[in-house]
Amino acid sequence: MRGACAVAGVTVLVVVGAGMAAAGDESGRPDLARYYTQKIKWGTCKGDTEAMAEATGGAKDIRCGHVSVPLDYADPASGDVDVAMIRMKSSASGKPRGSLLLNFGGPGGPGVSALAGAQKDFGFLSKDYDIVSFDPRGVGLSEPVSCGDADKSTDPSSGGTGDAAAVLAEMRKVAAECAKKSGPVLPHMGTVNVSRDLDVMRQALGDKKLNYLGFSYGTRLGAVYAAQFPKNVGRMVLDGVDTLTEPVAEQSLVTAEGRQTALDNFLTWCTGNAGCVFGTDSRSARKGMVRLIKDMDQMPLRSLDGAEFTGQDVVGVLGQALYSRQAWPALSQALGALLADGDPRALIRMSGGLVPTGIPSTGPATGPAAGEEVPADNMAAALMGVNCADDPDRPDAAHIEKEVGKLQKQFDDASPVFGKSMLMPVLLCFGRPAGTKYIREDVRDVKTPKLLLVGTRGDPATPYRWTEETARRLGSQAVVLDNKGDGHTGYLGSTCVQDKVNGFLLYGETPKSGESCAADEG
């Protein structure tokens, strides 16, 4: 952070249009000209990003850079945030169409390491575009936020309603610790601000229009951008469509249910194959998984350097791996090593071998840390920071205290494995300022070119109904592609979806609304 001062509260400034206020603007809007006139200096990627790029397709066409954006768009003098960016140069023989910006989801997922580890997945699109991604403010290499170990010190499922006051008191402490360790950027996270950063990036890249492919949370970001900057939208695809209306608690509950369904499907598949470490009965396997998590939370594995691997660490790996059926064989083997030999190394490698949103990568580690300077808890801290900033619901202490026991039961019933981890982000919004109402109230009926929304019927994280709901909110410009397959998002899991998306982004071929893709065989 350069020249930043500590501030309190979440500041939201919504400007529809170009987003750039000229010097001396009589409207009274802050002067943002210096941000909109900057040029990106691309250079060699460093550290883990460079090594990852070389290991997954060669680093010769990969370059890294950054743009500066205001910490606070209402008060640019309060300081800047440097947003880390990465570019895979187009393979076009002539001049490329421009840039295609990717957001891999989260919120809290780093785009720099994700693109470095997934170059081959977007090679076809690089025929016409420079493929660009970024670490949003507060994420990865862009002023990463952190709560340290504070969020691990509280177990929201350990007590019943009688302990509600103690749980909430602890939540206040956690929120204060997050603010202390994260610094000035934390109150200025949230999708409204990241959307404005996206427009600064568009201009710095030299693009008149934003061409964009967003996965999971990246669809929320894309939708907000379409509402804020409708005249700047080019070709936009939203894959694995997030909700724009449901509060954090409902989102987390739906995610817990979806992940549990995916886990049950995995265990049914595993017990139907020879050598499954959980045996041959899927019902017993589900009970065995719950017992494994509970036992490892009570007695974590310890490495020689004292580091612990807990049941919740296993839950974290499961939450990533279950998003793609392609990862199931490796997950089965890794769980086998854990149960048979007490060896978590294969699971730990899996946690680094997947893009955090659950989009499988063909390369090596693309976990949250792209270097030692990124806190280990950055993804979790950023997820909470963004979701709390995007959610205006902040009931008072008396209401929360009354509801804690009910929430615990709801989440445990939804998923005995994932319920605990999905409840924590809900409770951690307590003690933070209420978020913006803009997304829920104003992101609707956009006046943009056609937007392509991809919904997957068997998506464990973003249910298909969210695609339909978001399409209705965005209005007549939203075109839905119905993917009949499984897994989180469709582009990397369906040949049909990939062809439709490529056709839209490269050639402007828009599917008919309601058009579907059959599930891939195998």
Side-chain angles (χ1 to χ4, degrees), residues 111-182:
V112 171
S113 59
L115 181 56
Q119 298 168 66
K120 294 180 181 179
D121 294 326
F122 303 98
F124 191 80
L125 288 170
S126 73
K127 290 172 58 178
D128 271 21
Y129 293 102
D130 290 333
I131 309 299
V132 179
S133 193
F134 63 101
D135 290 353
R137 57 170 64 205
V139 175
L141 302 176
S142 300
E143 315 286 357
V145 296
S146 173
C147 297
D149 292 327
D151 61 331
K152 296 180 180 179
S153 64
T154 300
D155 182 353
S157 64
S158 62
T161 54
D163 296 320
V167 170
L168 295 183
E170 192 65 30
M171 290 298 116
R172 290 191 186 93
K173 293 180 182 178
V174 173
E177 190 68 12
C178 294
K180 177 181 177 181
K181 291 185 178 296
S182 297

Side-chain angles (χ1 to χ4, degrees), residues 177-445:
E177 190 68 12
C178 294
K180 177 181 177 181
K181 291 185 178 296
S182 297
V185 72
L186 182 61
H188 297 281
M189 296 183 70
T191 304
V192 170
N193 279 327
V194 177
S195 171
R196 301 202 67 185
D197 298 344
L198 199 58
D199 199 58
V200 173
M201 286 181 250
R202 173 198 60 77
Q203 183 72 20
L205 289 165
D207 294 329
K208 292 183 179 180
K209 303 287 185 180
L210 175 74
N211 300 303
Y212 178 82
L213 173 55
F215 298 99
S216 194
Y217 161 76
T219 68
R220 189 196 311 172
L221 175 59
V224 171
Y225 185 90
Q228 285 185 297
F229 305 99
K231 294 181 180 179
N232 296 348
V233 173
R235 295 175 182 173
M236 179 176 286
V237 178
L238 310 180
D239 183 4
V241 182
D242 197 0
T243 180
L244 299 175
T245 59
E246 294 185 359
V248 169
E250 183 61 29
Q251 293 179 49
S252 294
L253 191 63
V254 168
T255 300
E257 291 170 342
R259 289 185 177 181
Q260 185 64 47
T261 297
L263 177 60
D264 292 346
N265 290 342
F266 162 74
L267 291 173
T268 298
W269 168 86
C270 180
T271 54
N273 289 276
C276 178
V277 71
F278 290 102
T280 58
D281 182 72
S282 60
R283 181 176 297 181
S284 296
R286 288 193 287 272
K287 293 179 180 178
M289 179 64 76
V290 174
R291 187 166 54 251
L292 169 67
I293 303 302
K294 183 178 180 180
D295 289 348
M296 288 190 61
D297 276 338
Q298 293 176 346
M299 298 184 63
L301 295 174
R302 292 183 182 273
S303 64
L304 292 176
D305 62 2
E308 290 187 345
F309 190 76
T310 69
Q312 293 310 302
D313 290 323
V314 176
V315 170
V317 179
L318 292 173
Q320 295 181 44
L322 291 171
Y323 280 171
S324 170
R325 290 184 69 95
Q326 297 172 347
W328 287 8
L331 178 61
S332 178
Q333 294 178 2
L335 288 169
L338 178 68
L339 284 167
D341 304 316
D343 184 355
R345 288 177 296 179
L347 278 177
I348 294 171
R349 284 194 296 271
M350 286 199 74
S351 70
L354 296 173
V355 176
T357 55
I359 301 172
S361 168
T362 55
T366 60
E372 293 182 359
E373 67 272 27
V374 181
D377 75 318
N378 174 238
M379 281 180 58
L383 182 146
M384 287 181 286
V386 173
N387 280 343
C388 295
D390 286 359
D391 187 76
D393 298 323
R394 206 70 86 240
D396 59 31
H399 180 81
I400 289 285
E401 201 170 313
K402 182 179 179 181
E403 293 294 315
V404 165
K406 180 180 176 181
L407 283 170
Q408 290 170 348
K409 185 176 188 309
Q410 279 184 327
F411 277 78
D412 285 342
D413 289 346
S415 172
V417 171
F418 297 102
K420 174 181 174 181
S421 64
M422 296 311 302
L423 175 57
M424 180 66 83
V426 177
L427 295 180
L428 282 176
C429 284
F430 179 78
R432 300 190 184 204
T436 178
K437 296 181 180 179
Y438 176 75
I439 299 174
R440 188 176 296 175
E441 296 182 355
D442 297 326
V443 180
R444 61 174 69 245
D445 300 321

Side-chain angles (χ1 to χ4, degrees), residues 474-488:
L474 296 180
S476 60
Q477 297 306 96
V479 176
V480 172
L481 179 62
D482 181 355
N483 178 27
K484 304 293 187 182
D486 295 305
H488 185 35

